[in-house]
Amino acid sequence: MTSALFYILVMALVAAVVFLLAALVFGRGEELAPLPPGASPTRLPSDDVTPEDVRDLKFQQVLRGYKMTEVDWALDRLAGEVERLRDRVAELEAELGVDPRPAGPAGPVAEPEPEPGREPQRDPA
């Protein structure tokens, strides 16, 4: 009985030493301060988003994919940047007197898909 108690005491002492060493090496596991509401660790520049910025964009992964608020935020920012660029292109085209619409179709025109349950109309010619 005495030897079993001695082994338990030695195991507890070894476990305590291992725990203390791990705590010293890895820290105590403090958490960072929470982000303010609506903030995101996802980074994009405040102006002039470049293609490289979009390629480098990373989102936090959560249990079932990416954090939706971060993806929504990034998409809103990119949509704003695209809108700003299109407005600038339209402004420059207006200054040059260029018609913003192309003269003809740029490629093949897709036919509209028929409604479900209806036969597509055929050209009698």
Side-chain angles (χ1 to χ4, degrees), residues 17-79:
V17 169
V18 169
F19 175 79
L20 289 174
L21 284 174
L24 287 173
V25 171
F26 297 112
R28 295 182 306 175
E30 297 101 8
E31 291 185 22
L32 295 174
L35 292 171
S40 168
T42 304
R43 301 278 184 236
L44 278 175
S46 59
D47 275 339
D48 299 327
V49 176
T50 66
E52 195 61 35
D53 294 329
V54 176
R55 285 185 195 99
D56 292 340
L57 192 58
K58 303 290 183 228
F59 299 104
Q60 279 184 358
Q61 288 191 334
V62 292
L63 183 62
R64 297 180 69 182
Y66 293 108
K67 194 170 184 180
M68 284 191 336
T69 54
E70 288 185 9
V71 175
D72 291 343
W73 172 82
L75 291 174
D76 287 343
R77 286 287 321 282
L78 295 173

Side-chain angles (χ1 to χ4, degrees), residues 30 33 39 41 71 77 85-86 95 117 123:
E30 297 101 8
V71 175
R77 286 287 321 282
L85 292 172
R86 286 180 184 244
E95 285 179 14
D123 192 10

